[in-house]
């Protein structure tokens, strides 16, 4: 028997309704809003979805986190929305996270929403738990007529961004990663740095809408739970399950966009042929194939696309698509655990790379380079990679965004630093209204 009542309404103006929906959602303590920004992609289920109000939930540190999630998903058999932090690596391998943490997000959080609203094309679908299904009509009318109340908005203070790792130190640390590569300890590592601001107040809703407007990525996320916020303009899918098919789409390789069409097309073409960028991508594809093979039917792991150029508002990216057929006897969470954390954010070999980056990075990654997404009642799922994201603890008045890049034998510290600034551009701009130099 279904736990939810389903009602569908037709709308004329999808983008206006999406805007109203997110503004309307701000009244709730717990919000997950996922928006594909109508980006054309092969794998997708909706244009946007909103999940609000906990009915049940789990929140835990990394210890036995995947087992806890597995039990929760098995007995709930409903839609679940939430996140996995990067530090769940410590549940999968014998690793530690001892770096500074200014944000204090729990390592894992999932909830069963009371209210669930999907938008696809010109349809809005409400899936409410039966106990509150009498609110559907009213909520639909409120959303359609919703006008954001400016006077209720939180005023933002001036945000002065600081660097956790300064440029010279960044160069030294990247040089150390390259030494490890030359010694044969690893082939590649994703080294990240944090930009942060203390004693600041931001308006999370406005910050997210500004960031999304600049970037329009396919995996945008507004997440709020109590005083913790994730405002994400992620272009990257980590992993998706459709029936027995598993899809992973790592991104490695970045080039900036140009206003001039001919120059922009040339840059995209050059990216597709760039030996360093392609080799970064291929190394991660090999790692993903290896990760997926643990839960895949024999011989079912294959590369659907290798190093294809996808263009977003600010950057071109090389994306590969790796797929597999999952063994029938396994639990959906097994696939996540056996591929976690995603290879595009660690390096190869994975465990050695994670040990080295833990040693050299100054900040605990927490939710950055983790994942946010959802499970369906049938056990399908879809999760992004938390990059190009602003994290905010409203109680501690702490704002943070991190960026990283893949370091290989062909890397130069100067070029890697420039790529970090390119990736940080949109986040810095929406927080400070200043360009990144």
């Amino acid at each position: 028997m279904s736990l939810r009542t389903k009602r569908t309404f037709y709308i004329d103006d999808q983008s206006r309704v999406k805007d109203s929906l997110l503004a309307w959602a701000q009244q709730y303590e717990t919000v997950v809003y996922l928006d594909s920004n109508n980006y054309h992609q092969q794998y997708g289920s909706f244009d946007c979805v909103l999940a609000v109000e906990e009915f049940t939930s789990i929140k835990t540190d990394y210890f036995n986190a995947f087992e806890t999630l597995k039990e929760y998903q098995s007995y709930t058999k409903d839609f679940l929305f939430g996140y996995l932090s990067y530090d769940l690596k410590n549940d999968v391998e014998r690793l530690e996270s001892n770096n500074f943490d200014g944000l204090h997000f729990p390592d894992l959080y999932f909830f069963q929403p009371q209210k669930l609203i999907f938008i696809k094309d010109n349809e809005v679908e409400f899936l409410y738990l039966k106990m509150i299904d009498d609110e559907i009509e009213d909520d639909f009318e409120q959303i359609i007529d919703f006008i954001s109340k400016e006077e209720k908005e939180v005023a933002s203070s001036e945000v002065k961004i600081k660097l956790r790792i300064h440029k010279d130190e960044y160069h030294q640390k990247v040089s150390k990663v390259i030494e490890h590569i030359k010694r044969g300890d690893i082939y590649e590592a994703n080294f990240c740095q944090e930009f942060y601001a203390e004693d600041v107040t931001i308006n999370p809703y406005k910050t997210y809408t500004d960031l999304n407007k600049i970037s329009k990525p396919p995996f945008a996320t507004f997440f709020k739970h109590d005083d913790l916020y994730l405002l994400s303009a992620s272009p990257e899918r980590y992993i998706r399950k459709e029936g027995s098919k598993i899809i992973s789409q790592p991104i490695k390789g970045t080039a900036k966009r140009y206003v001039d069409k001919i120059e922009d097309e040339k840059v995209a073409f050059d990216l597709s042929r760039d030996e360093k960028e392609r080799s970064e991508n291929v190394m991660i594809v090999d790692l993903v194939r290896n990760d997926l093979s643990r839960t895949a039917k024999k011989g079912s792991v294959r590369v659907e696309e290798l190093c294809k150029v996808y263009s977003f508002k600010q950057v071109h990216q090389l994306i590969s698509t790796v797929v597999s057929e999952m063994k029938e006897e396994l639990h959906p969470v097994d696939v996540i655990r056996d591929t976690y954390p995603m290879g595009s954010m660690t390096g190869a070999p994975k465990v050695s790379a994670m040990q080295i980056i833990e040693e050299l990075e100054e900040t605990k990654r927490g939710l950055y380079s983790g994942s946010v997404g959802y499970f369906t009642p049938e056990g399908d799922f879809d999760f992004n990679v938390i990059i190009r994201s602003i994290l905010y603890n409203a109680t501690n008045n702490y704002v943070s965004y991190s960026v990283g890049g893949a370091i290989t034998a062909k890397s130069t510290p100067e070029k890697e630093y420039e790529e970090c600034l390119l990736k940080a551009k949109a986040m810095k701009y929406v927080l400070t209204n200043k360009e990144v130099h």
Side-chain angles (χ1 to χ4, degrees), residues 186-216:
I186 47 170
Y187 313 114
E188 176 178 342
N190 192 289
F191 176 66
C192 300
Q193 57 174 324
E194 184 195 21
F195 297 79
Y196 67 100
E198 296 166 301
D199 302 319
V200 291
T201 307
I202 65 166
N203 178 335
Y205 166 69
K206 186 178 182 312
T207 304
Y208 166 79
T209 52
D210 290 351
L211 182 63
N212 192 44
K213 214 171 279 171
I214 291 175
S215 308
K216 292 218 176 299

Side-chain angles (χ1 to χ4, degrees), residues 215-329:
S215 308
K216 292 218 176 299
F219 297 99
T221 305
F222 178 94
F223 167 88
K224 166 193 178 187
H225 179 56
D226 299 334
D227 60 344
L228 302 173
Y229 293 85
L230 162 70
L231 318 167
S232 177
S234 175
E236 184 171 1
R237 168 177 280 128
Y238 154 43
I239 199 162
R240 177 177 170 92
K241 177 180 176 290
E242 291 180 355
S244 62
K245 186 175 185 175
I246 305 297
I247 301 116
S248 183
Q249 295 183 293
I251 292 181
K252 273 286 154 265
T254 306
K256 74 174 175 181
R257 301 219 48 181
Y258 286 86
V259 176
D260 181 79
K261 193 169 183 288
I262 293 163
E263 194 173 4
D264 193 54
E265 281 171 6
K266 183 189 179 301
V267 166
F269 179 73
D270 289 348
L271 177 63
S272 72
R273 306 281 293 273
D274 188 302
E275 213 180 299
K276 176 193 172 285
E277 303 282 8
R278 284 184 74 91
S279 75
E280 278 181 21
N281 195 301
V282 169
M283 278 186 222
I284 297 307
V285 166
D286 283 344
L287 188 154
V288 170
R289 283 167 60 194
N290 184 51
D291 281 354
L292 287 180
S293 68
R294 295 179 197 168
T295 52
K297 288 179 181 168
K298 207 171 165 44
S300 71
V301 179
R302 60 192 175 83
V303 180
E304 266 188 1
E305 280 181 342
L306 186 65
C307 298
K308 187 178 171 186
V309 176
Y310 283 77
S311 299
F312 302 97
K313 274 190 89 172
Q314 294 182 300
V315 288
H316 299 291
Q317 305 266 203
L318 287 184
I319 304 182
S320 293
T321 301
V322 189
V323 300
S324 69
E325 289 290 322
M326 174 185 153
K327 288 178 195 157
E328 275 132 17
E329 68 274 16

Side-chain angles (χ1 to χ4, degrees), residues 104-153:
H104 308 292
F105 278 72
D107 290 339
L108 178 146
Y109 170 74
F110 277 85
F111 76 106
Q112 178 186 10
Q114 293 185 32
K115 300 182 175 187
L116 194 50
I117 301 167
F118 290 94
I119 297 181
K120 189 162 176 71
D121 302 324
N122 63 343
E123 288 184 8
V124 184
E125 186 178 283
F126 284 69
L127 281 171
Y128 278 25
L129 289 176
K130 289 203 181 314
M131 60 183 189
I132 52 153
D133 62 7
D134 58 339
E135 296 176 27
I136 291 176
E137 293 274 347
D138 281 356
D139 284 357
F140 176 64
E141 280 170 25
Q142 271 184 37
I143 291 159
I144 292 301
D145 299 334
F146 198 82
I147 293 153
S148 187
K149 293 173 180 59
E150 294 293 322
E151 68 275 9
K152 276 192 174 173
E153 288 193 352

Side-chain angles (χ1 to χ4, degrees), residues 158-161 401 424-437:
E158 194 190 347
V159 177
K160 287 196 169 72
I161 302 292
Y401 59 91
K425 197 174 176 178
M427 280 98 71
K428 179 165 185 186
Y429 182 73
V430 301
L431 287 169
T432 64
N433 291 323
K434 293 187 183 99
E435 293 289 347
V436 177
H437 299 294

